[in-house]
Amino acid sequence: FAMRMSTYKKKSNKIRKSRVSNENSSTKKVFETLDTSASKSELFISNYQNYLIYGVTVLVVIFALYFSYDKFVVQPKIDESNVEIFTAQKYFDLALNSTSNKDSLYNLSLNGADGKFGFLDIIENYSGTPASNISYYSSGMAYYHLKKYDLAIEYLGKFSSNDDVLNSLSLTTIGDSFTQLNQFEDALSYYQKALKSSSNSFTSPIILLKAGDVSMKIGNKKKALSFFNTIKTDFPKSAEADLIDIKIEQAK
């Protein structure tokens, strides 16, 4: 029995030594792999360090140029455009609230007066600024009131805004311009865009009524009925709902 135990222990020691040897071999391979990877990384850095330094330098220069451009070119341009737009906006507001000389005032807002810029000058001289963007909107509105519908469509089409209501008004006026030009399919398309852009109890029933009326003009009574019914169900207290039952009957 003692001899058997001795033999068993010897075998166990052999197995343990074998495991230790394997573990040492695996550890050695890991370190060799790490050494190889480190050597490759060092070799890569050594070979391409000039490119890496150049790349970092370029990024720093680009950032510095952007910062300088923004600070010394963009911001002063924005500040200057905000001052220059004052006269154009003044005449535009006067035209909106005036009971006479509207056309004259709208033209002054577009072309400027007393040596001051109008909206068209702002667009030309301050491209990319918020003042230029709002000038597209105001120019389009001015042209609509002047019955220059093609120009209204052109300028309002270049206006963009994150303000849902303002964006909706712009799209609606484009639709109105197409209506005035008897391009009813295009008008309906923009009314639908305006409805998707903003939904509120003031503008929505107005746009829905326009969309319904235009749908009637192109002979699409089913679509017109849908717009009219939406006014009746969703905006029953609106001014547009007062005579909507007549519209609904006409569309049936």
Side-chain angles (χ1 to χ4, degrees):
F1 178 76
M3 290 178 64
R4 287 177 183 173
M5 287 293 292
S6 176
T7 302
Y8 175 77
K9 288 178 179 178
K10 286 179 181 179
K11 287 180 180 179
S12 178
N13 287 336
K14 286 180 180 179
I15 292 170
R16 188 179 296 110
K17 287 179 181 178
S18 175
R19 286 177 179 171
V20 171
S21 176
N22 288 336
E23 289 175 358
N24 288 338
S25 177
S26 297
T27 302
K28 184 178 179 182
K29 287 180 179 179
V30 169
F31 279 108
E32 286 176 351
T33 301
L34 291 173
D35 288 341
T36 301
S37 298
S39 297
K40 288 180 179 179
S41 298
E42 290 172 0
L43 183 62
F44 176 83
I45 293 171
S46 176
N47 290 337
Y48 296 98
Q49 62 180 340
N50 289 336
Y51 295 103
L52 292 171
I53 293 170
Y54 176 76
V56 172
T57 303
V58 168
L59 289 174
V60 171
V61 171
I62 289 173
F63 177 78
L65 288 173
Y66 172 80
F67 179 79
S68 299
Y69 181 77
D70 183 69
K71 182 177 180 179
F72 297 109
V73 178
V74 175
Q75 286 304 319
K77 188 177 181 181
I78 290 174
D79 294 339
E80 186 178 323
S81 66
N82 289 338
V83 173
E84 289 293 342
I85 201 174
F86 175 80
T87 298
Q89 196 64 52
K90 178 186 74 174
Y91 284 113
F92 184 79
D93 292 339
L94 286 171
L96 287 176
N97 298 307
S98 177
T99 56
S100 61
N101 299 322
K102 279 182 172 290
D103 288 1
S104 176
L105 292 169
Y106 279 124
N107 277 311
L108 288 172
S109 74
L110 286 166
N111 301 301
D114 305 322
K116 300 295 184 180
F117 281 172
F119 291 128
L120 300 180
D121 299 308
I122 298 294
I123 290 169
E124 182 180 352
N125 291 277
Y126 298 101
S127 175
T129 64
S132 175
N133 186 47
I134 199 64
S135 290
Y136 276 116
Y137 174 83
S138 299
S139 294
M141 290 296 185
Y143 280 127
Y144 178 79
H145 288 292
L146 291 169
K147 297 180 172 56
K148 297 181 179 180
Y149 303 117
D150 288 333
L151 289 173
I153 293 168
E154 178 185 343
Y155 280 85
L156 287 171
K158 294 177 181 178
F159 168 72
S160 62
S161 175
N162 293 324
D163 186 291
D164 291 344
V165 174
L166 201 59
N167 196 44
S168 178
L169 288 172
S170 173
L171 293 168
T172 301
T173 306
I174 293 176
D176 292 342
S177 298
F178 277 120
T179 298
Q180 293 295 331
L181 294 170
N182 296 323
Q183 295 177 228
F184 301 121
E185 293 282 359
D186 292 319
L188 180 58
S189 173
Y190 276 91
Y191 290 145
Q192 289 176 307
K193 288 178 182 179
L195 288 168
K196 290 179 181 179
S197 175
S198 176
S199 178
N200 62 76
S201 59
F202 177 70
T203 61
S204 291
I206 297 172
I207 303 169
L208 284 165
L209 187 60
K210 291 174 184 286
D213 287 341
V214 164
S215 296
M216 291 290 287
K217 286 181 182 296
I218 61 178
N220 194 334
K221 289 188 174 183
K222 183 178 179 181
K223 184 166 284 188
L225 187 60
S226 175
F227 290 127
F228 295 148
N229 279 327
T230 302
I231 294 173
K232 184 178 178 66
T233 56
D234 294 357
F235 306 99
K237 295 182 179 180
S238 65
E240 289 70 27
D242 290 344
L243 300 175
I244 202 64
D245 287 332
I246 297 174
K247 295 278 188 180
I248 289 172
E249 288 300 317
Q250 291 172 345
K252 286 183 177 179

